[in-house]
Amino acid sequence: MQNLWNDTEAEAIVAAHAANGVGRDLALRVYTTRLLGGVPQLVLHGGGNTSVKTRAVDLVGDEYDVLCVKGSGWDMATIAPAGLPAVKLAPLLKARAFDRLSDKDMVTLQRANLIDPDGPNPSVETLLHAFLPAKFVDHTHSTAVLAVVDQAESRRLAREAFGDRIGFVDYVMPGFALAKQAAAVFDQDPSVEALILDKHGIFTFGASAREAYDRMIDYVTRAEEFVARRGVRKTARRPLPASLATPDAIAPMLRGAIAVDRGEGRFDRMVSEFRTSPAILDFVAAPDLEDLATRGVSTPDLSIRIKTGPLVLAPPDAADLAGYGADIRARVAAFADGYRAYFNENAARSPDTLTMLDPMPRLTLVPGLGLFGHGRSVKEAKIAADIGEIWIETVADAEAIGAFRPVERPDLFDLEYWSLEQAKLASIKTLPFSGQVVIVTGGAGAIGAATAKAFAGRGAHVAVADLDEGKAAAVAKSIGNAAIGVGCDVTDPASVRALFDRTVAAFGGVDIVVSNAGAAFEGPIATLDDAVLRRSFELNFFAHQSVAQNAVRIMKLQGTGGVLLFNASKQAVNPGASFGAYGLPKAATLFLSRQYALEHGKDGIRVNAVNADRIRSGLLSDAMIANRSSARGLSEKDYMAGNLLGQEVRAEDVALAFVHQALSERTTGGLDTVDGGNIAAAPR
């Protein structure tokens, strides 16, 4: 492994932090922590931890020996000084004399001795860092090290790989017991440069930040060289169908199968992240893939991300997608049943009453294609996929030098349902549309952009579609939450199909579609050019049909229902003079919405429409507002507030109507009016 230490960079970091009152010790601790955190083969997404023993002053000016240790929730790759809270060292060292210390009391002890009471919770491995006397201590979950210790004969292999300057610590769950045991191993030979934690990872330490870091790189390199020297790669490969289905073809079926069914048509959905590479494809081609997947995770803390390990699917045959969908559901059901059995068997050992987490997989391996990570957000799905890639690397290396044998399931359960880890999960907020995917057409317009923002703000991942791809991308960037902008001509069925395919590729499926794109066409109906009317029908009716067809196609593959919403406009129920070219297709679109509601209620798909009027947008431009208000002898303000409430209706009000319809679980075939009150336009 490459040593990334750079004297010039290190001194620059020290100087930069000194300007903010941060001392040299802590600045160098930040520097090497980031070096370690930037390498996925060492740590991923909050894993690992580091510390430095130094001096700090509290709020009243008293100075203490402290341990600055990585705080819970901080990522080593981007850590700042605030992510290494200072804890008074003396009370931590006194705790070593205890025979036992509960997790709750351990956390209380650590928080009670924070120099800054508002600091983050110190790492669950704080006591281990404290009990080791070295000034700097580093801890990673190196894939190469795990390949050596995820073995039946891990102690022997560790000696062969690392030599005699290491201490070997038998597996113990993180916390007080591990800290005591690791310190005892160190005391037996204080000359060791590293501690190898069976089934867990590696600690290195030193008098300086560079010494601890150099040792980490040295011992990880030894592990890599040992695997390269001793490894024998398996060459057998399972057969694949003559024609493989694409990831996009199977993603909606998989996403629907892993949705948690809450009953009465309610589902907790997840999004998916697909990955493939030569290394992934090589691994998932193994004939014993199912067996490898059931053995567990490469280091126990991964259980909070990917549970007991991955789900394995069969190679997808493009010639029988319907049969493959049924097989996906059967395999997901078997995985969930296995997880329930795992929970029931192990929960009986706990003195506490435990509540089972949902039993669905967070990582799926597909021979011939690659892997899918799953989560309630794009971030979670990407984390699961990242971990999947590292899990594959570890298992492949472990199998090359022996047989992958990670921690046993009872120990895995103890960490997955550990109160300290559960507390982290409990802090994650769930919004109304978390895990759901929304497409909004006409997304760069006033109503479309407001609608996209409203859904994204409530947890949805949104595909903003517009004829102007640049504007769609700008709206997506502005609303955040991993939204994507997609160029789409809704009057072109191929372009609409590409929009849905792009959305499936990004998120795994589609749950809510707001068919909003449209434009106004004017002219007296009796003298209207047929070409104008036909263009209007293409955009204001047939485009909605094309969008709806694709929405239903994906939603039926998922099997979890869905929501299809149309912007019908006031013209659908209350025609205006010279607006027949616009109102006629809009009236047909309103009927279209009810036809879909009628025919697809059995599929759990709810279909509704919004009837909005006088909304500042591309349809009702500032110039048009000025012209109409002048013709009526009104000010622009009075014209826009010409309704029963006497208030201008904005695009955000229409967006809220779409959100309301998406949340209304028992409403379909409906029409909501958003116009401030206009009796003439009220449906009769």
Side-chain angles (χ1 to χ4, degrees):
M1 175 163 285
Q2 184 180 3
N3 189 312
L4 300 175
W5 177 281
N6 181 289
D7 287 332
T8 301
E9 289 180 357
E11 292 305 320
I13 290 287
V14 170
H17 284 301
N20 296 317
V22 176
R24 182 179 185 85
D25 287 347
L26 185 54
L28 289 175
R29 178 69 289 172
V30 169
Y31 174 60
T32 54
T33 300
R34 288 186 174 185
L35 292 184
L36 296 171
V39 182
Q41 286 74 20
L42 294 178
V43 295
L44 272 179
H45 302 295
N49 37 72
T50 60
S51 70
V52 59
K53 298 176 181 71
T54 185
R55 302 276 291 174
V57 177
D58 69 9
L59 294 174
V60 296
D62 291 335
E63 189 173 14
Y64 295 89
D65 289 326
V66 297
L67 178 77
C68 292
V69 63
K70 196 198 86 166
S72 179
W74 278 81
D75 192 315
M76 287 173 60
T78 57
I79 203 163
L84 291 150
V87 190
K88 296 172 186 175
L89 186 58
L92 301 182
L93 296 177
K94 285 183 180 180
R96 189 175 175 186
F98 297 163
D99 292 329
R100 64 179 303 277
L101 185 67
S102 71
D103 295 333
K104 180 180 178 181
D105 288 343
M106 180 179 72
V107 172
T108 299
L109 171 69
Q110 293 170 183
R111 282 213 62 83
N113 287 285
L114 283 169
I115 292 294
D116 178 0
D118 291 329
N121 279 339
S123 165
V124 297
E125 288 168 325
T126 291
L127 292 180
L128 199 163
H129 285 263
F131 294 170
L132 295 175
K135 185 177 182 68
F136 288 85
V137 179
D138 296 346
H139 170 46
T140 75
H141 301 143
S142 158
T143 57
V145 170
L146 288 169
V148 174
V149 298
D150 280 345
Q151 303 281 344
E153 297 185 45
S154 51
R155 182 183 288 270
R156 176 182 63 80
L157 289 174
R159 288 296 173 189
E160 292 182 20
F162 305 117
D164 58 5
R165 297 301 299 275
I166 59 127
F168 188 87
V169 183
D170 292 327
Y171 178 78
V172 177
M173 186 171 142
F176 180 69
L178 174 59
K180 290 260 290 186
Q181 183 164 309
V185 170
F186 177 85
D187 288 348
Q188 292 171 8
D189 183 3
S191 70
V192 299
E193 300 172 342
L195 294 179
I196 304 299
L197 276 56
D198 194 25
K199 322 298 187 199
H200 182 154
I202 177 174
F203 275 79
T204 58
F205 25 83
S208 68
R210 179 161 191 176
E211 183 175 47
Y213 173 78
D214 284 350
R215 286 176 172 174
M216 179 63 72
I217 301 305
D218 175 39
Y219 281 97
V220 170
T221 300
R222 294 188 195 192
E224 291 174 339
E225 292 174 346
F226 181 78
V227 172
R229 185 172 65 251
R230 294 278 300 272
V232 178
R233 304 291 173 176
K234 298 177 180 179
T235 58
R237 296 291 178 266
R238 71 170 67 201
L240 297 176
S243 177
L244 281 167
T246 63
D248 295 354
I250 71 166
M253 295 185 289
L254 174 59
R255 182 168 178 263
I258 65 171
V260 179
D261 189 346
R262 297 300 186 191
E264 297 186 332
R266 298 182 176 94
F267 294 89
D268 289 343
R269 299 173 175 90
M270 290 185 274
V271 295
S272 299
E273 165 83 2
F274 177 71
R275 301 276 177 86
T276 192
S277 70
I280 294 172
L281 289 173
D282 183 65
F283 184 85
V284 299
D288 59 346
L289 183 62
E290 287 84 352
D291 174 52
L292 294 174
T294 61
R295 295 187 199 173
V297 295
S298 49
T299 187
D301 67 312
L302 297 187
S303 63
I304 67 170
R305 299 292 194 182
I306 60 169
K307 297 186 175 289
T308 56
L311 164 72
V312 176
L313 299 183
D317 189 345
D320 185 20
L321 281 177
Y324 191 72
D327 188 61
I328 287 177
R329 292 191 176 276
R331 289 174 184 253
V332 169
F335 182 98
D337 287 344
Y339 186 86
R340 293 185 189 97
Y342 153 83
F343 175 83
N344 292 331
E345 290 166 6
N346 290 285
R349 297 185 289 105
S350 175
D352 303 320
T353 301
L354 302 177
T355 300
M356 189 184 76
L357 302 172
D358 80 73
M360 294 302 175
R362 294 303 191 270
L363 176 64
T364 299
L365 308 181
V366 189
L369 294 187
L371 66 81
F372 289 89
H374 313 292
R376 290 279 278 162
S377 66
V378 164
K379 180 181 178 179
E380 287 184 14
K382 288 182 180 294
I383 288 174
D386 287 346
I387 288 172
E389 292 195 63
I390 292 301
W391 180 87
I392 283 174
E393 184 174 331
T394 304
V395 176
D397 285 350
E399 284 288 293
I401 61 173
F404 176 59
R405 289 288 181 269
V407 68
E408 297 293 332
R409 285 200 165 199
D411 293 316
L412 192 65
F413 179 88
D414 290 342
L415 198 139
E416 185 181 2
Y417 283 86
W418 190 16
S419 60
L420 301 185
E421 295 295 350
Q422 292 298 292
K424 293 180 186 178
L425 295 177
S427 67
I428 299 174
K429 295 181 180 179
T430 300
L431 296 171
F433 297 113
S434 290
Q436 298 200 51
V437 179
V438 179
I439 290 177
V440 180
T441 67
I447 293 175
T451 301
K453 181 179 180 180
F455 278 103
R458 291 162 175 80
H461 294 300
V462 183
V464 181
D466 199 271
L467 185 61
D468 188 323
E469 185 170 7
K471 290 182 178 179
V475 171
K477 182 178 180 180
S478 72
I479 66 176
N481 202 32
I484 61 172
V486 183
C488 179
D489 178 356
V490 292
T491 65
D492 177 1
S495 183
V496 174
R497 173 66 185 243
L499 162 65
F500 279 80
D501 289 347
R502 171 83 182 279
T503 305
V504 169
F507 305 119
V510 178
D511 304 297
I512 301 167
V513 174
V514 182
S515 191
N516 166 71
F521 292 79
E522 297 183 70
I525 193 67
T527 59
L528 189 67
D529 189 326
D530 280 357
V532 173
L533 186 58
R534 291 179 187 280
R535 284 202 303 274
S536 183
F537 263 91
E538 285 295 333
L539 177 58
N540 295 309
F541 174 74
F542 286 108
H544 290 292
Q545 163 69 343
S546 183
V547 168
Q549 287 176 320
N550 278 277
V552 168
R553 173 177 61 85
I554 299 297
M555 291 172 185
K556 290 183 70 174
L557 286 174
Q558 292 172 161
T560 55
V563 179
L564 179 54
L565 306 175
F566 294 90
N567 187 341
S569 167
K570 166 257 188 184
Q571 294 292 329
V573 295
N574 182 229
S578 294
F579 271 89
Y582 179 57
L584 288 169
K586 280 296 187 179
T589 295
L590 175 59
F591 189 89
L592 181 74
S593 72
R594 290 175 171 166
Q595 194 69 34
Y596 270 95
L598 174 67
E599 296 184 13
H600 293 287
K602 65 181 185 299
D603 299 313
I605 298 173
R606 293 184 287 108
V607 189
N608 293 292
V610 168
N611 158 23
D613 189 27
R614 292 195 190 181
I615 313 298
R616 291 181 188 270
S617 64
L619 296 180
L620 187 59
S621 65
D622 290 342
M624 187 179 293
I625 292 170
N627 181 57
R628 288 188 176 183
S629 59
S630 176
R632 289 166 174 75
L634 299 172
S635 68
E636 291 184 18
K637 180 180 179 181
D638 287 342
Y639 172 74
M640 293 302 292
N643 52 56
L644 297 180
L645 296 178
Q647 300 289 333
E648 179 176 346
V649 183
R650 295 177 171 83
E652 290 77 12
D653 300 311
V654 183
L656 288 177
F658 284 127
V659 167
H660 169 73
Q661 289 180 335
L663 291 172
S664 299
E665 296 178 342
R666 296 296 180 266
T667 300
T668 191
L671 175 66
D672 285 343
T673 299
V674 185
D675 61 4
N678 179 2
I679 294 301
R684 288 171 170 77

